Structure formats: structure tokens, C-alpha cells
Amino acid sequence: MTTALITGASSGIGAAFAVKLAAQQHDLVLVARDEARLAEVAKAATDAHGVAIEVLPADLIDPVARARVEARLRDTDHPIDLLVNNAGFALGKRFTRTTVDEQDQLLDILVRAVLRLTHAALPGMIGRGHGAVINISSIAGEVPYGTYGAAKAWVNSFSQGLAAELRGTGVQVMTVLPGFTRTELQSRAGINRSSLPGFIWLDPSTVVDGALRDLSRGRVVSVPTVRYRLLTTAVRMTPRALLRASARRF
Ligand code: NAP
């Protein structure tokens, strides 16, 4: 039996990770702010699959609360074998229409939390000679798309560099680039989902299935679904000037 710690497990992609990993008989530590929703996810996973689940409510923007999660990751008596850095949000507004504190909080959750939780988890994993870190990035990391896109580009670069650094240790690091996924991310950011065609949307379970399959194959970069792999390849071949021109319309 192994244990996975998932951040942002109260909804969307994180909750889907909880269901899938419980079905694979992983014990779980679930992190997010909303304790009641975490308890619901935990109950559903325990009832269906009989795994042990800890609920660890924490606001990952708050350094004191985040330190509790870091401490849990360092606990060698109850080791974490898989860390899923998933918690996140989008602001849904242009840089100049937000406060600098909102921008700072976005970096806190999308970058600082990923960096600090990974740093806390790795020594134990390396010492035990096995473990994995899955970082949930986005296809937005491939295009010029404000602080959100820049933060996700950091996640991609950080994860790939770390994967190279950890070669031979038994510890895997993988970055996942989901496309548009039906979760609460858009509604929380006040983004209207109906402006995009239906075929573009993925279900969280599809993203998680693709990510777990790619992890088992030893991939470092996971782009769930063929259609988004094609799109990502096309974006990478597109001249940056063209990407910048289209980004101005976001
Ligand atoms: P979601 O349904 O809104 O879930 C976000 C999760 O993050 C929730 O569990 C939320 O829980 C948690 N969270 C937010 N702020 C937090 C904080 N300060 N401290 C702790 N937890 C916090 O959205 P989602 O789409 O599943 O997002 C998961 C990840 O996927 C994000 O990193 C996002 O950037 C990425 N992604 C999403 C899409 C998409 O189209 N949906 C596409 C590409 C990448 P609480 O509110 O309970 O704290």
C-alpha cells in the first residue's frame, strides 16, 4: 500500500485524482481549504475502495498553513510516495485589472506551493529509492497568457529540469498539461464556458487517466488526449509573434 498526497482535492481534477488513486488502492492525504468538501471526497473514496484517508485542510497561500502540509510530506514515519501538486485557480482578468496582491497569490499557489511541497517531499522519496511528483500545469504554459501562463511555463521547466536531476534515484517527476477541462476553475474565475465549443472540453477523469498512464510509462511530460497532443505540437511550431498576436485577444 502506498500513500498519495493531493492538493486541491476538494473539486475538479484533484477530486478525480482522489477517486482514481483510491481505486488503485493508494491511501490518501487530501489537501484544500474546504474541509467539508474534502470530507465528502474522502467518504466517497473510502466507501468505494476501503482505503485510509487523511483530510488536511490548508490554505496553500498562507505560509503557516502551507508549512503544515510541508511537515506532513517530511514525516518519515508515514511516508508519502506520490505528491500531486494540483491546487490552483485563475484570475480571469487582465494583469492591469487586478491588484498586485491577487497576482502575488496566484504565484503563491501555482509556483511557490509547488516548489515548497516538492522540496519537502523529495528527500524522503530519494532516501527510500522510490516515489513520484505529478505537477498539474496547463497548455496555457505553452502560450503567452499572463501570470497564469507564465506560472505554468515555470511548472513545465521546473518539472523537466528536476526529472533530469533525479534520473537514477527511483523518483519520477512529471508535468501534466491539461487542455480546457470541465471543473470549477472557470466559474470561480468568472469565465464564461459557453464561448468555447463543446468538443474542446475534457472531463477531469480523462485528464487523470491520461496522466496516470503516462506516469506508469515513465513519461516526463503528459498531454492528455490525442487532440491536445496535436494542438500542443501545432502551438510549439507556431511563430511566437503569431502566438503573441492571438494572445492579445484573450
Ligand atoms: P477547480 O475545480 O477549481 O479545483 C481547484 C482546487 O484547488 C480546489 O480543490 C480548491 O479547493 C483548490 N484550491 C484553490 N485555492 C487554494 C488554496 N489557496 N489553498 C488550497 N487549495 C486551493 O479547478 P481545476 O480545474 O480542477 O484545477 C486544478 C488544476 O488544474 C489547477 O492547477 C489548474 O490551473 C489546472 N488546470 C485546469 C484546467 C481547466 O480547464 N480546468 C486546464 C489546465 C490546467 P478549495 O477551494 O477547497 O481550497
Side-chain angles (χ1 to χ4, degrees):
M1 186 78 84
T2 61
T3 304
L5 185 148
I6 307 164
T7 70
S10 61
S11 73
I13 295 170
F17 264 108
V19 171
K20 301 279 178 185
L21 290 171
Q24 293 181 358
Q25 291 301 300
H26 294 272
D27 289 338
L28 302 176
V29 182
L30 305 181
V31 178
R33 291 166 301 184
D34 190 329
E35 187 169 1
R37 290 189 75 184
L38 285 179
E40 277 172 34
V41 174
K43 183 172 181 333
T46 313
D47 288 353
H49 305 293
V51 294
I53 304 196
E54 284 171 59
V55 165
L56 179 50
D59 181 347
L60 292 172
I61 288 171
D62 171 9
V64 176
R66 193 177 55 218
R68 281 192 276 113
V69 183
E70 293 172 39
R72 178 63 190 85
L73 286 160
R74 285 196 198 95
D75 181 352
T76 45
D77 291 337
H78 303 95
I80 300 295
D81 307 284
L82 171 64
L83 165 63
V84 183
N85 280 310
N86 163 78
F89 58 82
L91 292 173
K93 287 183 272 186
R94 287 164 185 263
F95 183 77
T96 48
R97 304 241 166 110
T98 56
T99 66
V100 75
D101 287 343
E102 286 174 314
Q103 293 290 329
D104 232 7
Q105 290 177 354
L106 191 62
L107 279 186
D108 272 342
I109 191 103
L110 297 183
V111 174
R112 196 176 308 282
V114 174
L115 181 149
R116 293 196 66 105
L117 299 194
T118 304
H119 199 271
L122 283 179
M125 291 182 183
I126 293 167
R128 292 185 291 275
H130 74 90
V133 178
I134 299 178
N135 291 328
I136 306 303
S137 176
S138 170
I139 54 156
E142 298 286 332
V143 292
Y145 189 48
T147 303
Y148 184 87
K152 295 301 192 182
W154 178 87
V155 172
N156 291 337
S157 182
F158 169 70
S159 306
Q160 292 179 75
L162 206 47
E165 186 178 323
L166 294 177
R167 213 175 286 131
T169 63
V171 179
Q172 272 179 270
V173 180
M174 186 179 80
T175 183
V176 184
L177 284 63
F180 292 101
T181 309
R182 287 185 199 88
T183 67
E184 296 176 14
L185 184 110
Q186 290 81 18
S187 59
R188 289 182 196 228
I191 298 167
N192 180 5
R193 240 175 18 200
S194 62
S195 59
L196 288 168
F199 70 85
I200 216 160
W201 292 95
L202 302 174
D203 286 325
S205 63
T206 307
V207 171
V208 174
D209 284 342
L212 292 177
R213 194 167 9 190
D214 285 342
L215 187 74
S216 70
R217 290 173 177 163
R219 299 256 159 86
V220 173
V221 179
S222 170
V223 183
T225 76
V226 172
R227 91 191 91 127
Y228 272 105
R229 279 197 285 284
L230 291 171
L231 182 68
T232 307
T233 305
V235 165
R236 286 175 186 157
M237 291 165 67
T238 303
R240 302 302 290 179
L242 208 57
L243 288 180
R244 285 197 296 275
S246 49
R248 276 204 291 271
R249 282 189 241 121
F250 286 143

